[in-house]
């Protein structure tokens, strides 16, 4: 054949089928743009060196993996759609004399042109938008803005472009195999395939109900936050399976029920829509289920990450009632590595270290307390609490888990509490998990010893950082040091080397909380220097060591803000990609439905239906099909709320009302966007069938 014939034919095909090819090129370019941004953020040294940059590396690594998976799914979905729509065209080529290898050559040039355009456009967009994203990252992390345009990374450009080129080559290979297996008659008749009325697939319907019910049951019944974290992904898989099965089998069941309802079905507005959906529901169901899952992904990712970021300051305040916590312990080891001696640094030394550190950094001490407490974990057995080692099964070890933080009533009074006047067999209890409002038991058995609960106190003066780790978390006030020592000995005997030790620390509050993380780091550095000089006035001898634990509210604030900011950015990016995928599937589905329905609606107009009636029928069908995934996504989000709340509790979100508000706003905004998508695609559909 004439040289350049196949290239010319490919260019002509792309131009004539631009309604198909243009979204395909823009889709791949958009995916490549996002992939390049996420991949480059993961490797940009200047971003990673920011305060909290370690979270960027971790979360962007997750983002790269998710983007690779979504890119494979979406690009192959687009490819399969294009091939289905063009099989008749390829059949005509074959009838007119082009062999299958010639058709494959045309496909090669089409793939090369569209792939080149996508890669060039995607990398250009990625390079431009990366700067905007880096500014957004800096804003979310409350970090200094990274200046300049030195972020263009040849390695990132090459690897990102190569990944999508490989996907295009794989799609081309699949297309060639498809062409080779089809006969000309099959190509020409492909538009009429699938017109047999489907039957209800009862096994899928039952399995779908069981899977969806199982996922919902896990969400509604799981109480322990740590267990919720383990079971969350199990519930997600069950809900995805249940959604696909119920859309495939349940939708046909519902449509057949509507068809049997004569009052509903024998209506010129409903009959064309229900009948058309029933005959092609197998294909529609998978696409609609995909839309529902993607929409749920958007809602979950945006609502959870926005909640975490918005509640970051409240999280810091809840976990850091004071501004600075300091503890230090002196250790002495033998040459064989055995611990010879261990003791806490004197209280006066710690107090003096904090005073000098505050003075050097211009901080005014408002309040400073000494705290001593013991935190022990238990398993609930036969109505009592017992020290039991974990059996290695993560999920089972969380059953009946309770965590207690003990202080004496003398310590409680010194930290501002009222006089309790407890006897040795009496305790005062404070439920410290945000979901617990009281403690209604008259007594509590701990390791066989029964303690009478004299009172429930509303506020516990110590935050140990364990509040997010267990649903059953309590602060307990005991009578005196002898009772506390008895509890310590019991858990020491049960746990051995894994037993908890006393925590003795200084808790200091300063006037004003406006300082930043740099002040906190300088304070910690000065305190460490003072304590080392106090512990080793002459010279540190071999075998001597000093363990200093210092935590500042400012450092925690920046760490929590960085973690939540990185999560929010990842949630926004992946949420936009899922929304983009939703739009893409809806658009291609409307085009596909439009071309398949055009002949039917033309027949309806010929037998007497007006254009207004045809348009009303179109709206009825589109409403029935494309708003069902939105309803299902909202239902998934509602049922997922309990387990998501507990997972967010692990991530230190303490406000349930904030999560509720973010979820409602996210659903409202998404519903508005989804409605706009519906309005735009309905017009496209109507133009095709008209």
């Amino acid at each position: 054949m004439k040289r350049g014939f196949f290239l010319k034919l490919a260019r002509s095909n792309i131009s004539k089928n631009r309604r198909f090819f243009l979204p395909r090129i823009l889709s791949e370019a958009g995916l490549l743009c996002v992939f390049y941004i996420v991949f480059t953020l993961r490797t940009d040294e200047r971003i990673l060196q920011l305060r909290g940059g370690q979270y960027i590396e971790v979360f962007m690594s997750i983002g790269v993996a998710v983007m690779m998976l979504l890119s494979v799914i979406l690009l192959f979905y687009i490819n399969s759609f294009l091939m289905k729509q063009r099989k008749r065209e390829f059949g005509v080529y074959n009838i007119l004399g082009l062999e299958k290898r010639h058709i494959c050559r045309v496909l090669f040039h089409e793939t090369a042109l569209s792939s080149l355009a996508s890669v060039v456009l995607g990398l250009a967009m990625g390079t431009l938008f990366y700067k905007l994203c880096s500014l957004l990252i800096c804003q979310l992390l409350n970090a200094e803005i990274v200046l300049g345009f030195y972020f263009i990374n040849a390695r990132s450009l090459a690897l990102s472009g190569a990944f999508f080129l490989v996907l295009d080559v794989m799609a081309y290979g699949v297309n060639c195999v498809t062409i080779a297996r089809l006969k000309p008659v099959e190509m020409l008749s492909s538009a009429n395939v699938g017109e047999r009325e489907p039957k209800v697939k009862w096994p899928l319907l039952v399995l779908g109900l069981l899977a969806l019910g199982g996922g919902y049951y896990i969400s509604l019944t799981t109480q322990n936050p740590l267990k919720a974290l383990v079971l969350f992904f199990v519930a997600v898989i069950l809900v995805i399976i249940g959604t696909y099965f119920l859309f495939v089998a349940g939708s046909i069941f519902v449509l057949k029920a509507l068809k049997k309802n004569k009052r509903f079905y024998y209506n010129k507005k409903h009959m064309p829509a229900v009948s058309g959906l029933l005959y092609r529901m197998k294909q529609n169901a998978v696409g609609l289920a995909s839309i529902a899952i993607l929409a749920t992904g958007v809602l979950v990712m945006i609502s959870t990450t926005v909640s975490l970021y918005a509640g970051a300051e409240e999280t810091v305040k809840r976990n850091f009632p004071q501004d600075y916590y300091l503890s230090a312990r002196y250790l002495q080891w033998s040459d064989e590595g055995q611990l010879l001696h261990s003791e806490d640094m004197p209280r006066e030394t710690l107090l003096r270290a904090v005073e000098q550190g505050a003075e050097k950094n211009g901080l005014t001490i408002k309040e400073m307390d000494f705290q001593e407490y013991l935190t022990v974990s238990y398993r609930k057995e036969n109505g009592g609490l017992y020290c039991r080692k974990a059996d290695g099964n993560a999920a089972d070890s969380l059953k009946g888990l309770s965590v207690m933080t003990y202080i004496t009533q003398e310590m409680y009074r010194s930290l501002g509490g009222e006089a309790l006047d407890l006897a040795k067999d009496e305790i005062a209890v404070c439920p410290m998990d945000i979901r617990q409002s009281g403690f209604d038991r008259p007594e509590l058995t701990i390791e066989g010893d029964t303690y009478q609960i004299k009172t429930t106190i509303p506020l516990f003066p110590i935050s140990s950082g364990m509040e997010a780790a267990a649903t059953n978390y309590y602060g307990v006030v005991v009578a005196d040091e002898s009772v506390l020592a008895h509890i310590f000995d019991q858990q020491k005997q049960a746990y051995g080397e894994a037993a908890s030790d006393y925590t003795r620390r200084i808790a200091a509050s300063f006037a004003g909380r406006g300082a930043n993380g740099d002040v906190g780091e300088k304070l910690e550095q000065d305190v460490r220097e003072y304590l080392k000089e106090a512990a080793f006035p002459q010279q540190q001898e071999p075998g001597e060591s000093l363990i200093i634990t210092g935590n500042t509210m400012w450092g925690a604030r920046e760490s929590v803000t960085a973690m939540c900011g990185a999560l929010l950015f990842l949630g926004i990016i992946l949420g936009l990609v899922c929304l983009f995928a939703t739009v893409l599937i809806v658009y291609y589905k409307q085009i596909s439905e439009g071309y398949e329905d055009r002949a039917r609606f033309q027949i309806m107009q010929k037998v007497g239906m007006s254009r207004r009636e045809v348009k009303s029928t179109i709206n009825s069908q589109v409403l029935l099909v494309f708003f069902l995934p939105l309803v299902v996504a909202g239902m998934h989000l509602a049922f997922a709320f309990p387990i998501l709340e507990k997972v967010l509790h692990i991530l230190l979100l303490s406000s349930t009302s904030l999560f509720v508000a973010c979820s409602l706003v996210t659903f409202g905004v998404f519903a508005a966007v989804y409605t706009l998508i519906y309005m735009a695609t309905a017009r496209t559909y109507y133009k095709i069938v008209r």
Side-chain angles (χ1 to χ4, degrees):
M1 293 187 180
K2 187 176 179 181
R3 190 173 184 180
F5 169 77
F6 295 110
L7 177 60
K8 185 177 180 180
L9 183 58
R11 293 171 59 185
S12 176
N13 289 343
I14 293 175
S15 177
K16 292 178 180 178
N17 293 292
R18 55 183 174 273
R19 178 174 285 178
F20 300 145
F21 276 95
L22 185 58
R24 184 251 185 235
I25 293 173
L26 293 178
S27 299
E28 184 173 352
L31 290 170
L32 176 53
C33 170
V34 176
F35 181 85
Y36 171 80
I37 290 172
V38 174
F39 186 80
T40 307
L41 280 173
R42 177 183 171 274
T43 57
D44 192 330
E45 290 296 332
R46 298 196 306 163
I47 295 292
L48 300 182
Q49 289 174 3
L50 295 174
R51 188 186 302 275
Q54 70 273 16
Y55 296 111
I56 296 294
E57 183 176 12
V58 172
F59 293 136
M60 291 308 109
S61 297
I62 298 173
V64 168
V66 175
M67 280 302 304
M68 292 176 71
L69 178 62
L70 288 176
S71 298
V72 171
I73 294 173
L74 288 177
L75 289 182
F76 276 87
Y77 171 83
I78 296 172
N79 181 71
S80 66
F81 171 83
L82 292 178
M83 286 298 294
K84 180 183 177 182
Q85 296 299 314
R86 300 186 65 200
K87 281 181 182 178
R88 189 179 183 88
E89 175 187 343
F90 297 146
V92 173
Y93 287 158
N94 197 254
I95 295 296
L96 294 177
L98 286 181
E99 299 178 11
K100 290 182 179 180
R101 61 188 180 90
H102 296 143
I103 297 176
C104 290
R105 289 185 64 181
V106 175
L107 283 176
F108 172 79
H109 286 92
E110 291 177 355
T111 302
L113 291 173
S114 59
S115 181
L116 180 62
S118 299
V119 170
V120 172
L121 180 60
L123 292 178
M125 291 168 56
T127 303
L128 292 175
F129 283 108
Y130 180 80
K131 182 60 180 178
L132 178 63
C133 290
S134 66
L135 295 176
L136 178 60
I137 282 286
C138 294
Q139 183 68 28
L140 293 176
L141 268 61
N142 288 333
E144 294 183 2
I145 295 176
V146 178
L147 301 175
F149 282 84
Y150 303 104
F151 51 81
I152 298 178
N153 189 312
R155 180 173 176 270
S156 296
L157 289 170
L159 291 177
S160 300
F163 173 68
F164 280 82
L165 287 174
V166 169
L167 292 183
D168 289 332
V169 171
M170 292 171 62
Y172 170 70
V174 171
N175 294 341
C176 289
V177 172
T178 303
I179 293 295
R181 290 182 175 180
L182 287 177
K183 298 178 181 179
V185 176
E186 293 176 340
M187 295 183 189
L188 291 171
S189 61
S190 62
N192 299 319
V193 173
E195 293 297 321
R196 182 177 301 174
E197 180 175 331
K199 298 180 181 179
V200 178
K201 298 180 179 179
W202 291 104
L204 287 185
L205 181 60
V206 173
L207 289 175
L209 289 172
L210 291 175
L212 189 64
Y216 286 173
Y217 178 81
I218 290 174
S219 176
L220 295 175
T221 59
T222 304
Q223 297 299 323
N224 190 289
L226 288 175
K227 191 173 181 180
L229 189 62
V230 175
L231 295 178
F232 173 72
F233 297 101
V234 177
V236 168
I237 294 172
L238 287 174
V239 169
I240 291 175
I241 293 173
T243 301
Y244 276 104
F245 283 6
L246 287 179
F247 264 96
V248 170
S251 58
I252 295 174
F253 174 81
V254 172
L255 288 170
K256 281 184 173 289
L258 292 175
K259 188 175 181 180
K260 290 180 180 179
N261 186 337
K262 295 182 179 180
R263 170 177 277 183
F264 177 86
Y265 182 70
Y266 289 106
N267 183 305
K268 59 185 177 183
K269 294 181 179 179
H270 301 153
M271 180 185 288
V274 174
S275 179
L277 287 172
L278 188 59
Y279 276 90
R280 295 188 308 275
M281 185 44 70
K282 182 178 180 180
Q283 176 188 350
N284 281 343
V286 174
L288 295 176
S290 300
I291 294 172
I293 295 300
L294 289 169
T296 305
V298 174
L299 296 174
V300 169
M301 285 186 287
I302 298 298
S303 62
T304 53
T305 54
V306 169
S307 299
L308 283 171
Y309 190 77
E313 185 64 27
E314 182 63 28
T315 297
V316 173
K317 290 180 180 178
R318 175 177 173 81
N319 289 276
F320 278 81
Q322 285 83 25
D323 297 327
Y324 182 47
Y325 297 96
L326 173 67
S327 62
R329 172 165 290 192
Y330 170 80
L331 304 174
Q332 189 174 16
W333 305 84
S334 67
D335 294 338
E336 292 77 21
Q338 294 182 342
L339 182 62
L340 300 176
H341 179 67
S342 172
E343 66 174 328
D344 291 312
M345 291 287 288
R347 180 189 312 186
E348 294 74 16
T349 303
L350 296 178
L351 291 171
R352 184 58 184 160
V354 175
E355 289 173 352
Q356 288 211 357
E359 183 179 350
K360 283 186 177 182
N361 291 276
L363 297 172
T364 302
I365 297 176
K366 183 173 63 175
E367 183 181 3
M368 188 157 55
D369 301 313
F370 176 77
Q371 299 178 348
E372 180 180 21
Y373 62 89
L374 175 68
T375 299
V376 184
S377 61
Y378 298 96
R379 293 284 293 277
K380 187 176 181 180
E381 295 180 2
N382 301 321
L385 300 179
Y386 297 89
C387 297
R388 297 288 186 267
K389 292 184 178 181
D391 57 8
N393 188 310
D396 290 340
S397 65
L398 300 175
K399 293 180 180 179
L401 176 67
S402 294
V403 179
M404 304 287 190
T405 292
Y406 298 98
I407 60 174
T408 64
Q409 61 178 333
E410 181 183 357
M411 178 61 63
Y412 180 69
R413 285 198 302 270
S414 70
L415 296 176
E418 61 184 359
L420 298 175
D421 194 22
L422 299 173
K424 288 186 179 296
D425 64 341
E426 292 180 330
I427 59 175
V429 178
C430 176
M432 295 178 65
D433 184 272
I434 59 175
R435 291 161 184 78
Q436 300 180 74
S437 57
F439 195 84
D440 55 2
R441 297 174 58 180
E443 61 183 26
L444 185 63
T445 300
I446 302 175
E447 281 292 311
D449 298 326
T450 301
Y451 298 89
Q452 301 298 318
I453 299 176
K454 183 175 182 179
T455 184
T456 299
I457 55 179
L459 183 64
F460 200 67
I462 290 178
S463 172
S464 68
M466 291 289 293
E467 290 84 350
T471 300
N472 301 312
Y473 180 74
Y474 304 94
V476 180
V477 182
V478 299
D480 53 33
E481 291 285 353
S482 63
V483 178
L484 189 60
H486 177 64
I487 294 174
F488 173 83
D489 292 338
Q490 286 179 327
Q491 61 95 30
K492 185 73 173 178
Q493 183 177 1
Y495 291 132
E497 294 183 356
S500 301
D501 206 344
Y502 289 103
T503 298
R504 299 179 177 94
R505 68 184 186 184
I506 296 296
S509 296
F510 304 102
R513 283 194 160 197
N516 56 32
D518 292 334
V519 173
E521 285 185 2
K522 187 64 169 60
L523 173 65
E524 288 192 77
Q525 180 180 349
D526 293 335
V527 168
R528 286 177 180 275
E529 291 178 358
Y530 179 89
L531 290 177
K532 286 182 178 180
E533 291 178 2
F536 313 114
Q538 302 297 327
Q539 183 178 358
Q540 184 174 355
E541 298 295 333
E544 292 183 322
S545 64
L546 183 65
I547 299 177
I548 301 173
T549 304
N551 297 296
T552 67
M553 179 275 303
W554 306 294
R557 174 192 287 161
E558 293 196 350
S559 179
V560 171
T561 300
M563 181 189 74
C564 296
L567 269 175
L568 176 58
F569 179 81
L570 181 62
I572 292 173
I573 287 290
L574 296 183
L576 289 176
V577 171
C578 288
L579 179 62
F580 172 74
T582 302
V583 174
L584 189 68
I585 294 175
V586 170
Y587 174 78
Y588 277 133
K589 182 167 289 297
Q590 288 284 50
I591 290 179
S592 175
E593 294 295 313
Y595 281 115
E596 292 179 3
D597 287 343
R598 180 165 55 183
R600 292 189 184 91
F601 284 110
Q602 287 175 351
I603 293 173
M604 291 178 188
Q605 285 183 321
K606 291 177 181 179
V607 297
M609 290 183 67
S610 65
R611 285 192 174 185
R612 183 176 180 180
E613 290 171 334
V614 170
K615 188 171 184 178
S616 176
T617 302
I618 293 171
N619 288 334
S620 175
Q621 178 175 349
V622 174
L623 280 170
L624 186 64
V625 171
F626 291 105
F627 276 91
L628 180 60
L630 180 63
V631 174
V632 172
M635 185 174 68
H636 286 346
L637 180 64
F639 276 96
F641 185 87
I643 196 169
L644 286 174
E645 182 191 15
K646 295 173 181 63
V647 171
L648 290 177
H649 187 43
I650 292 291
L651 298 174
L652 304 180
L653 180 67
S654 58
S655 176
T656 300
S657 59
L658 176 63
F659 183 37
V660 172
C662 290
S663 298
L664 292 175
V665 171
T666 301
F667 182 80
V669 172
F670 181 80
V673 174
Y674 194 87
T675 302
L676 293 175
I677 297 170
Y678 154 72
M679 295 171 62
T681 54
R683 284 197 297 268
T684 303
Y685 179 91
Y686 181 68
K687 288 178 182 178
I688 294 173
V689 300
R690 187 171 55 184

